[in-house]
Amino acid sequence: GDLDKVVNLLLSLSGRLARVENVLRSLGENANSEERSSLNEKRKLLAGQHEDARELKENLDRRERVVLEILGNYLSEEQLQDYQHFVRMKSALLIEQRELDDKIKLGQEQLKCLMESL
């Protein structure tokens, strides 16, 4: 459960941070200094939150290693490898699901714009 939450948090913060950075890069020279300042502040805040989330992930990884050691005393080598594979795949699948959800959302937004333009 913690793995799901931390991976989703990292993905969410990464996406939000990327969007803010894209907006900052796209601001022209004529951009309002207040708007630029606000976006820079938001970027700093998101970067700090992202770093905190990375620390949470590192703590989770340490806990996983402890659990793995304990399970090593009770499971066969094959079962232990299956467990490790499960944990790795769970993270990978969460990331893939998030990417697919983002693509679906983008497609729906594009479809809506196309329908409105007709």
Side-chain angles (χ1 to χ4, degrees):
D2 289 346
L3 180 63
D4 291 355
K5 292 173 187 168
V6 171
V7 168
N8 280 324
L9 178 62
L10 277 168
L11 291 172
S12 176
L13 289 170
S14 295
R16 291 173 59 198
L17 186 57
R19 284 191 294 279
V20 168
E21 288 174 347
N22 286 340
V23 170
L24 274 168
R25 272 188 245 116
S26 69
L27 286 178
E29 294 176 15
N30 304 348
N32 182 342
S33 65
E34 186 178 309
E35 181 182 10
R36 186 179 299 279
S37 176
S38 173
L39 286 168
N40 276 319
E41 190 62 35
K42 190 172 190 176
R43 187 189 59 75
K44 285 181 193 175
L45 178 65
L46 287 169
Q49 290 174 336
H50 188 265
E51 184 58 35
D52 291 345
R54 287 180 53 193
E55 289 178 22
L56 284 173
K57 177 69 169 92
E58 289 171 8
N59 289 334
L60 187 62
D61 290 343
R62 280 192 288 278
R63 282 181 23 210
E64 181 185 341
R65 286 189 294 273
V66 170
V67 168
L68 195 60
E69 280 182 37
I70 293 169
L71 288 176
N73 296 325
Y74 298 98
L75 300 176
S76 69
E77 185 64 32
E78 184 179 337
Q79 290 171 320
L80 197 58
Q81 287 176 356
D82 287 345
Y83 170 78
Q84 288 176 302
H85 178 72
F86 168 77
V87 172
R88 280 192 306 272
M89 289 305 299
K90 186 171 185 177
S91 292
L93 290 172
L94 283 169
I95 292 168
E96 187 175 335
Q97 179 184 9
R98 183 64 172 253
E99 289 172 354
L100 290 172
D101 289 344
D102 289 346
K103 286 179 182 179
I104 289 170
K105 184 178 176 183
L106 177 62
Q108 289 171 337
E109 289 171 2
Q110 290 174 337
L111 183 59
K112 180 182 174 189
C113 289
L114 284 172
M115 295 298 269
E116 288 175 357
S117 70
L118 294 176

